[in-house]
Amino acid sequence: MSTYNGGNNIIKQVNSIQKQKNVKVLLTIRDDGSNNETLDVLRTLEKKYENTTIIYGENIGYKKSFLTLLSKRNKNNIDYYAFSDQDDIWDENKLNTAVNMLDKETNKVKLYTSSLSIYNENMEYVKKSDISSTPNNIYSFFTRNRYAGCTYVFSERLAELSSNYEKLRFKNSEMPEHDFLVGAFAYAFGIVIIDSESYIKHIRYPSSVTSGGNGIKKRIQVELFNTFKRKDTRQHMAEILINNDEKISSNKIFQYLELVRDYKSKIKSKVQLARYMDCGNTVGNVEAAIKVLIGNF
């Protein structure tokens, strides 16, 4: 978990993580330079729960904060890792459900993700963010990442492949999100399991960075920002995957990543990319097409 000025909202989420059934939990929290109120909450939780470790860090932003946690993860007898937002509430069977599905797969590089239930700050149900219509492939994922990092549960091998990328020197507008990076590694080198059920109360506040459940105005603002201000994240990710020592799982995926890497310099690559744009969401498809056209993909 990465925290930043979450205050008392952190308590209910940590409590819900501690109540997970049929799994042994070790919780590591990295604070990203919060105020004293949040630091006091974290110190109290650290004293209350022996299985909880707090890393008090400087403000580097949530993307690098989560990636730093991956690099500093406890590797001793850990089967799976999960990302957590600071102010959600998990159902008690969230982790157990994911682990049971992951255990059925023999691939060592594996990621589980699920739908989630969105609530407002008054704990009133808003809607279900359902990912069942999302095509389960890297082409859809690069068109638009429709998965929420707070639903991720993933293997040690995937964590290892995805670690040490907090050192990337991209501008913040070009830095891949932690959940995009981990998901991209899963698709390039392993498998992704999609669960259409929800095991999280995902609470949206007016100050939340992403748009889900925050109204049409916030949605439009986020879409415009992602289209015109977020630059080159897919291209950077393609370069990272191609340059990794691990062998990409198929030639087709490797060729697609080459298209993404080279699309700015090759018109043919830009045209060919259009064939792969289908994330199961019209807005996402249009946004990706515009980003390719203007060189922001």
Side-chain angles (χ1 to χ4, degrees), residues 1 43 167:
M1 178 191 294
R43 293 185 187 104
K167 299 173 185 176

Side-chain angles (χ1 to χ4, degrees), residues 142 234-243 257 260-261:
F142 267 61
R234 280 86 154 183
Q235 187 182 50
H236 290 326
M237 196 68 242
E239 292 174 341
I240 290 169
L241 295 172
I242 289 171
N243 293 332
L257 294 172
V260 177
R261 181 192 64 187

Side-chain angles (χ1 to χ4, degrees), residues 141-271:
F141 187 72
F142 267 61
T143 300
R144 166 172 283 194
N145 175 15
R146 296 180 63 193
Y147 310 147
C150 59
T151 69
Y152 281 15
V153 183
F154 49 98
S155 63
E156 160 60 31
R157 180 59 180 144
L158 179 52
E160 182 181 17
L161 287 172
S162 306
S163 64
N164 297 319
Y165 285 98
E166 78 280 2
K167 299 173 185 176
L168 292 172
R169 298 304 181 194
F170 299 130
K171 297 177 183 177
N172 188 54
S173 62
E174 298 180 14
M175 183 72 187
E177 281 92 349
H178 60 289
D179 49 0
F180 181 62
L181 187 141
V182 171
F185 269 94
Y187 273 120
F189 304 114
I191 61 167
V192 176
I193 300 167
I194 296 178
D195 188 349
S196 62
E197 298 301 317
S198 167
Y199 308 93
I200 296 181
K201 293 180 176 64
H202 185 61
I203 305 169
R204 307 299 306 165
Y205 294 90
S207 59
S208 295
V209 175
T210 52
S211 60
N214 273 345
I216 188 66
K217 182 178 179 181
K218 182 63 177 285
R219 174 69 181 271
I220 292 173
Q221 290 174 338
V222 170
E223 296 297 344
L224 289 173
F225 178 85
N226 287 338
T227 302
F228 297 104
K229 300 296 184 181
R230 290 280 290 145
K231 299 179 180 180
D232 302 332
T233 52
R234 280 86 154 183
Q235 187 182 50
H236 290 326
M237 196 68 242
E239 292 174 341
I240 290 169
L241 295 172
I242 289 171
N243 293 332
N244 194 275
D245 292 334
E246 192 83 356
K247 183 179 179 181
I248 291 173
S249 57
S250 75
N251 287 334
K252 188 176 180 181
I253 290 176
F254 183 82
Q255 290 165 3
Y256 170 75
L257 294 172
E258 285 186 315
L259 286 179
V260 177
R261 181 192 64 187
D262 300 336
Y263 85 97
K264 286 187 181 183
S265 59
K266 297 180 181 179
I267 295 177
K268 183 179 179 181
S269 295
K270 186 175 291 190
V271 173

Side-chain angles (χ1 to χ4, degrees), residues 71-131:
S71 298
K72 295 182 179 296
R73 70 192 186 282
N74 185 335
K75 305 173 188 178
N76 296 323
N77 299 317
I78 303 297
D79 297 305
Y80 298 107
Y81 299 87
F83 288 139
S84 168
D85 285 351
Q86 67 179 2
D87 47 18
D88 293 341
I89 299 176
W90 287 4
D91 293 351
E92 63 182 17
N93 63 332
K94 179 211 184 298
L95 292 180
N96 183 55
T97 299
V99 167
N100 286 338
M101 296 180 74
L102 287 162
D103 276 348
K104 294 176 183 178
E105 302 293 338
T106 57
N107 197 313
K108 290 185 178 181
V109 181
K110 46 190 173 181
L111 167 68
Y112 164 95
T113 185
S114 75
S115 300
L116 45 75
S117 301
I118 296 176
Y119 286 72
N120 65 23
E121 59 185 322
N122 298 317
M123 288 306 298
E124 298 166 334
Y125 177 78
V126 177
K127 65 177 182 178
K128 179 181 178 182
S129 180
D130 189 351
I131 60 172

